[in-house]
Amino acid sequence: MDITLTGILILICIIIYSSWDTFYRKRNLPPGPTPLPLVGTLLHIRRGELVNSLMKLWSQYGAVYTLYFGSRRVVVICGYNAMKEALIDQGEVFGARGHMPIMEKYVQGYGINLSNGERWRLLRTFAVKTLKSFGFGKKSIESKIQTEAQCLVEEFRNSNGQPLAPNKNLIDAFSNVLCAVMFGDRFEYKDERFIKFLQVAEQILSLASSKWGQLYSILPTIMKYVPGPHHDIIRISEKLRDFFLERVNASMETLDPTSPRHFIDSFLIKMAEEKNNPDTEFHLKNLLMTSHNLFVAGMETVSVTLRSGLLILLKYPEIQAKIHREIDQVIGGDRAPNYEDRVEMHYTQAVIQEIHRFSDVIPLNLPHMVTRDIQFRGYDIPKGTEIYPLLCTVHRDPKQFSSPWKFDPNRFLDENGRFKKNEAVMPFSAGKRMCPGEVLARMELFIFFTTILQNFKLTSMKEFTETDIAPKMAGFLNAPIHYELSFLPRKI
Ligand code: HEM
């Protein structure tokens, strides 16, 4: 036997031996497919069909099952009841963040999205409080959203009814709302700095969602050594950092410590207050990473939700007509829609809720992790195990929704036609890690949706099918197909 063969045999023995403890040592773990050395249970995930494969395993193994991405153990949680038991009833234990290797490469545990423990608690509490004080859910942010929605309407009006893909316009508008919150001002859509900034942010998101980014997320230990575009994430993210740094420096020059104007000002004031604390979490690195986090998390998600919603209205003109009627009755044509209008717009609320459920924008949620050993539904989950609380299984849970694959806003109306909530619609997740941008996102979606429909009838040359409007997984997000539509001005 030559040396190479001996070497290969020794390597195989090492792999089998090291896999033994991870995979096969008898533990009371949730059930799941049998893992293989090196690949774990990856062979049970069909290429390009991650969501469907995980849903299929749900029907095979039940609401809690175990998978292995290589040698990384992941416990998957499915359906509304199990999700509530984990993220809400046991929120403290299930509330830590799991791994997102492609993002971790740049973020390195700073900021909110990927941090844990005391750093996460301090930064998240600060962000939620500060964003609230700048008007999340209040009038000040509402007027900024209304201004942006009117600018968007102007853009659509200038298209003179010609078909266009709304992607860029929506990204511009929602990013501008975030800019207003973070730095206090909006940009003209043609401003070179804004265009460059959005290009960089877009590059980061598409790299993270690309095949390379996903491979890196599933097999980080191997992909670390494989050359490819996934290594560019640091270089690109640094460009975004430079943009934030410019804004931070500009804010510093004009800062009045008694009167913060926006998120960055408030963070700078907190940094000054804590400058003598050597362990403070309020330093420049956390400010830059938190800004990065808020943009990466808040730009594309809202825009994709609205893009899915507009496509659905093209497929169902009768639903669009009903919303037009409700807008005409409640708001009319002489004033801009405001968030309070929703209270009287039961049908529109039901449609938006159904858009959230049906378009299921973050189907796999972000990964969580358990902070200690825990017994869950009769199984033992060891401390540090990664948890995938799948939102797609909640939004398609047949125990909560009849015909879950069908778009039907009537499921959210009671017998008197009034909007009725259902806790099983959780696009923003639930529990300790729940999206802190929820209030902003809901306000944006309602105001943009009603402002667009107050002004336009949406049409398309193409007839869309149920398959066309079904969510399509692209990286982390379920995005709609590429489509064009015409904005025909309405007279009320
Ligand atoms: C329709 C729009 C949005 C959807 C569907 C959405 C959904 C989500 C989901 C599912 C998570 C993961 C929650 C978990 O780990 O359990 C999340 C986290 C997060 N989102 Fe959103 N989001 C949206 C908009 C926004 C906006 C506008 C912002 C910023 C202003 C934002 C900021 C964040 C942040 C900072 C986190 C990380 C929270 C943490 O780790 O503690 N999101 N979002």
Side-chain angles (χ1 to χ4, degrees), residues 97 112-113 120 124 136 178 294 297-298 301-302 305 356 361-362 365-366 368 391 427-430 433-437 440-441 444-445:
R97 176 66 70 226
I112 303 175
N113 295 14
W120 169 76
R124 181 169 164 125
F136 270 31
L178 279 175
L294 291 171
T301 40
V302 193
T305 308
H356 274 306
V361 165
I362 310 193
N365 206 338
L366 300 189
H368 284 223
L391 297 178
F428 302 95
S429 187
R433 281 278 174 174
M434 187 174 175
C435 174
L440 175 68
E444 287 182 293
L445 284 168

